[in-house]
């Protein structure tokens, strides 16, 4: 993955920064290295590298502060997962809705964004009632946005696309280990089971976890960030992914390993969904809460497959990255898929492939 270092700013980045400085009435020195301060930003994400670039402002009335922008450098090989043109369009649209940072300029391998003050959440904070309520309300507001265009559910096409890429990029060993040849049939079965007329379709984040949430402690506000996977889906899928991510800890020494003993219990899941529904000003019935929680449990199957496939595809893009064991992460996700699929498929009295990865 490309990095940004002083003395090695690309011409396109320099041009964007100079244009911003001119627009804001600032004077950057000709030798731009003398004006800019660059800091890499740590977070819970693995798709991009983030940097804060700042410079002193020149107007008297602003001398107490600095200009700050965020530079996002895309991860190598991420085009397999992300349509960059669509992502940038989504980013701009969300900014126009007041739901995300402003876009200042696009680079050939990244973009320059508004820097939003705040910090990403820690896993344990999702279980603090006040924080959980903030998250629920923010997700509800995100789901209420009406993105122009067809409201086509993307999870099934994404699964098939990533499965196809996995078969092309993965080693024969991994194709056999994860029984990729049997997955398309199961994806088709899942789609038939879960695509009910009663499900609520909305514009979803599709990658909800604490690392994609910026918390401003001063204003007690929350901003959802990183919209690479956004698109229309059943809202139950967003819940499913969020609940699964509560078993992760990307800040730990073993960020690839998930602890599913931390997966939220039924009462906690119901409480979150109830807060989500009541944040719109209506009191939901227990039947509504139970139905949405049940749907979310079923969609954990899709979540585990999505990130299982993400893991085995990412192996080829991260050969020099030993900070995250993508194969071990994929194994955990496929194991969880296998454990949960028995309950769903048997409840629906449907045939199951017997050749998927073993949970032992």
């Amino acid at each position: 993955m490309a990095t940004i270092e002083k003395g090695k700013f690309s011409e396109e980045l320099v041009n964007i920064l100079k244009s911003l400085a001119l627009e804001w009435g600032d004077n950057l020195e000709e030798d731009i290295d003398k004006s800019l301060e660059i800091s890499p930003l740590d977070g819970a994400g693995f798709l991009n590298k983030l940097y804060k670039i700042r410079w002193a402002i020149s107007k008297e009335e602003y001398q107490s502060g600095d200009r700050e922008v965020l530079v996002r450098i895309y991860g190598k090989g991420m085009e397999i997962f992300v349509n960059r043109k669509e992502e940038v369009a989504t980013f701009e649209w969300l900014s126009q809705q007041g739901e995300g940072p402003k876009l200042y300029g696009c680079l050939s391998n990244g973009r320059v964004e508004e820097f939003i003050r705040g910090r990403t959440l820690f896993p344990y904070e999702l279980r603090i009632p006040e924080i959980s309520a903030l998250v629920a309300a923010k997700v509800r507001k995100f789901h209420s946005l009406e993105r122009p265009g067809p409201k086509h559910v993307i999870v099934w096409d994404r699964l098939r696309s990533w499965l196809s890429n996995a078969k092309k990029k993965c080693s024969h060993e991994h194709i056999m280990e994860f029984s990729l040849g049997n997955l398309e049939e199961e994806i088709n079965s899942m789609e038939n089971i879960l695509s009910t007329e009663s499900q609520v379709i909305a514009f979803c984040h599709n990658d909800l976890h604490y690392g994609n949430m910026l918390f401003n402690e001063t204003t007690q506000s929350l901003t959802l960030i990183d919209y690479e996977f956004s698109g229309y889906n059943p809202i139950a899928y967003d819940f499913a992914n969020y609940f699964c991510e509560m078993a992760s800890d990307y800040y730990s020494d073993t960020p690839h390993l998930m602890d599913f003993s931390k997966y939220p219990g039924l009462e906690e899941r119901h409480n979150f969904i109830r807060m989500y529904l009541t944040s719109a000003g209506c009191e939901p019935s227990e039947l509504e809460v139970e139905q949405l929680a049940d749907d979310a449990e079923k969609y954990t199957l899709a979540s585990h497959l999505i990130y299982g496939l993400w893991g085995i595809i990412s192996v080829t893009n991260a050969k020099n990255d030993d900070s995250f064991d993508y194969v071990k992460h994929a194994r955990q996700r496929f194991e969880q898929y296998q454990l949960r699929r028995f309950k769903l498929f048997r409840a629906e009295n449907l045939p199951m492939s017997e050749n998927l990865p073993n949970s032992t």
Side-chain angles (χ1 to χ4, degrees):
M1 187 185 295
T3 57
I4 299 178
E5 301 174 23
K6 286 186 73 77
K8 297 182 180 180
F9 293 110
S10 67
E11 183 179 353
E12 58 181 353
L13 176 57
V14 169
N15 288 339
I16 290 174
L17 296 177
K18 285 183 174 179
S19 177
L20 283 173
L22 182 63
E23 180 183 341
W24 294 339
D26 303 334
N27 295 315
L28 295 182
E29 296 187 41
E30 189 63 31
D31 183 357
I32 202 166
D33 270 3
K34 294 180 180 179
S35 299
L36 303 180
E37 177 184 313
I38 181 168
S39 307
L41 299 176
D42 295 325
F46 302 95
L47 304 184
N48 308 300
K49 289 286 187 182
L50 304 178
Y51 300 88
K52 180 173 73 172
I53 292 183
R54 59 189 292 181
W55 64 87
I57 57 179
S58 56
K59 289 184 176 180
E60 280 187 23
E61 62 265 32
Y62 293 125
Q63 283 184 352
S64 61
D66 290 325
R67 301 293 193 197
E68 296 175 324
V69 299
L70 182 131
V71 178
R72 179 184 303 271
I73 302 298
Y74 300 145
K76 180 182 177 183
M78 288 308 300
E79 289 71 22
I80 290 178
F81 303 113
V82 179
N83 180 322
R84 292 299 182 194
K85 184 177 179 180
E86 178 64 22
E87 179 198 359
V88 170
T90 298
F91 187 96
E92 288 189 287
W93 174 74
L94 284 168
S95 177
Q96 292 166 4
Q97 309 307 307
E99 286 300 314
K102 297 175 183 176
L103 177 66
Y104 291 142
C106 290
L107 307 168
S108 58
N109 65 337
R111 60 179 181 259
V112 182
E113 309 170 9
E114 176 187 10
F115 181 81
I116 295 182
R117 291 194 172 276
R119 61 171 179 82
T120 54
L121 293 174
F122 290 98
Y124 74 89
E125 290 181 293
L126 299 181
R127 293 187 148 91
I128 298 174
E130 294 80 6
I131 298 293
S132 184
L134 273 179
V135 173
K138 177 57 71 172
V139 173
R140 177 65 184 247
K141 186 176 182 182
F142 195 92
H143 287 170
S144 70
L145 299 173
E146 292 280 344
R147 176 79 193 271
K151 297 182 179 181
H152 175 68
V153 170
I154 63 174
V155 63
W156 308 115
D157 287 345
R158 179 167 289 167
L159 273 168
R160 293 186 183 98
S161 173
W162 289 14
L163 175 59
S164 175
N165 281 312
K167 290 177 179 178
K168 294 174 185 175
K169 293 182 68 70
C170 292
S171 66
H172 178 72
E173 176 188 357
H174 285 154
I175 289 174
M176 297 303 293
E177 177 184 352
F178 295 103
S179 300
L180 300 187
N182 301 310
L183 277 183
E184 188 160 2
E185 181 183 350
E186 297 225 2
I187 291 171
N188 293 339
S189 295
M190 271 197 296
E191 182 177 13
N192 289 332
I193 296 169
L194 299 182
S195 300
T196 62
E197 292 184 2
S198 62
Q199 66 181 357
V200 178
I201 308 298
F203 187 77
C204 292
H205 185 280
N206 297 324
D207 193 20
L208 286 175
H209 64 78
Y210 46 88
N212 283 338
M213 300 173 184
L214 278 183
F215 179 57
N216 187 311
E217 298 192 54
T218 302
T219 61
Q220 292 290 292
S221 62
L222 197 72
T223 302
L224 299 183
I225 58 173
D226 291 3
Y227 319 116
E228 289 96 339
F229 298 152
S230 306
Y232 278 99
N233 261 335
I235 62 173
Y237 176 77
D238 249 359
F239 290 129
N241 195 67
Y242 176 72
F243 294 149
C244 288
E245 290 288 359
M246 292 177 77
S248 69
D249 186 353
Y250 298 129
Y251 302 111
S252 73
D253 293 334
T254 53
H256 53 277
L257 296 181
M258 303 180 79
D259 180 359
F260 285 98
S261 69
K262 295 180 179 178
Y263 184 82
L266 183 61
E267 182 178 358
E268 188 172 5
R269 299 197 305 273
H270 279 195
N271 285 342
F272 182 82
I273 289 171
R274 190 177 292 107
M275 287 189 291
Y276 168 93
L277 294 172
T278 56
S279 67
C282 301
E283 190 64 32
S285 68
E286 284 306 301
L287 183 61
E288 287 179 275
V289 173
E290 291 170 5
Q291 183 62 60
L292 193 45
D294 183 60
D295 289 345
E297 281 300 281
K298 293 175 181 177
Y299 271 100
T300 59
L301 290 172
S303 176
H304 287 310
L305 275 191
I306 280 278
Y307 287 101
L309 291 169
W310 171 81
I312 56 177
I313 294 172
S314 296
V315 171
T316 60
N317 296 330
K319 292 180 179 178
N320 298 320
D321 179 11
D322 58 3
S323 63
F324 193 94
D325 192 322
Y326 292 93
V327 175
K328 285 186 178 179
H329 184 78
R331 287 191 183 116
Q332 274 200 308
R333 290 296 201 146
F334 274 98
E335 287 168 4
Q336 285 297 312
Y337 169 75
Q338 185 191 41
L339 290 171
R340 289 170 175 268
R341 83 193 227 282
F342 278 102
K343 296 179 182 179
L344 173 62
F345 279 60
R346 284 179 175 169
E348 300 290 337
N349 197 28
L350 291 172
M352 296 180 294
S353 170
E354 298 299 330
N355 298 314
L356 288 172
N358 199 304
S359 62
T360 58

